[in-house]
Amino acid sequence: MSTKTKAKVRTLQEKLEFLKQYDELIESGANTSEAASILGLHNSTLNRMLKNRNEIQEQCAQEHDDRLNFQNEMKNWLQTSDVSQMTYEYKYFTLHFIR
């Protein structure tokens, strides 16, 4: 009975880092198969990342923009909210959304 290894789930940031390392390896003269081996990835995994490179980069950029927007919203909220309202909203949030 053979046992299958479970596919490793990688974050977008991890995938983006693999792609940057891949580019460096290709510039230094490695081919795709050698790069996959050096990076510790299966050839098909690396090829799938390469095929989806644009989507990975766009999603990373979108996540970055979302984080910046959230930070700006929080700064604005903190500057315009009074302490009693902030305390109430914090308590409400922690009671209903953090467990």
Side-chain angles (χ1 to χ4, degrees):
M1 183 179 217
S2 68
T3 58
K4 288 188 175 184
T5 58
K6 193 170 185 175
K8 184 172 186 174
V9 177
R10 293 181 173 86
T11 65
L12 289 172
Q13 290 297 329
E14 289 173 325
K15 291 177 183 179
L16 192 60
E17 186 59 34
F18 276 121
L19 290 170
K20 287 177 185 175
Q21 292 174 0
Y22 166 81
D23 291 340
E24 292 170 4
L25 289 167
I26 293 301
E27 284 179 17
S28 69
N31 63 35
T32 303
S33 183
E34 292 168 337
S37 178
I38 292 168
L39 295 172
L41 298 172
H42 193 277
N43 284 343
S44 63
T45 302
L46 180 57
N47 285 324
R48 191 168 35 259
M49 284 183 200
L50 292 170
K51 177 180 142 191
N52 297 322
R53 176 189 287 263
N54 290 338
E55 289 145 19
I56 292 168
Q57 290 171 330
E58 289 170 7
Q59 289 174 356
C60 281
Q62 183 62 48
E63 280 185 1
H64 178 72
D65 291 345
D66 290 347
R67 272 194 303 280
L68 289 178
N69 288 336
F70 177 76
Q71 289 172 347
N72 288 332
E73 288 174 15
M74 290 304 296
K75 285 179 189 175
N76 291 337
W77 179 74
L78 288 170
Q79 291 170 352
T80 59
S81 297
D82 65 359
V83 174
S84 61
Q85 181 65 24
M86 289 170 48
T87 303
Y88 169 77
E89 290 173 2
Y90 174 77
K91 287 180 181 177
Y92 178 84
F93 178 78
T94 55
L95 285 172
H96 291 87
F97 298 106
I98 299 177
R99 299 188 184 241

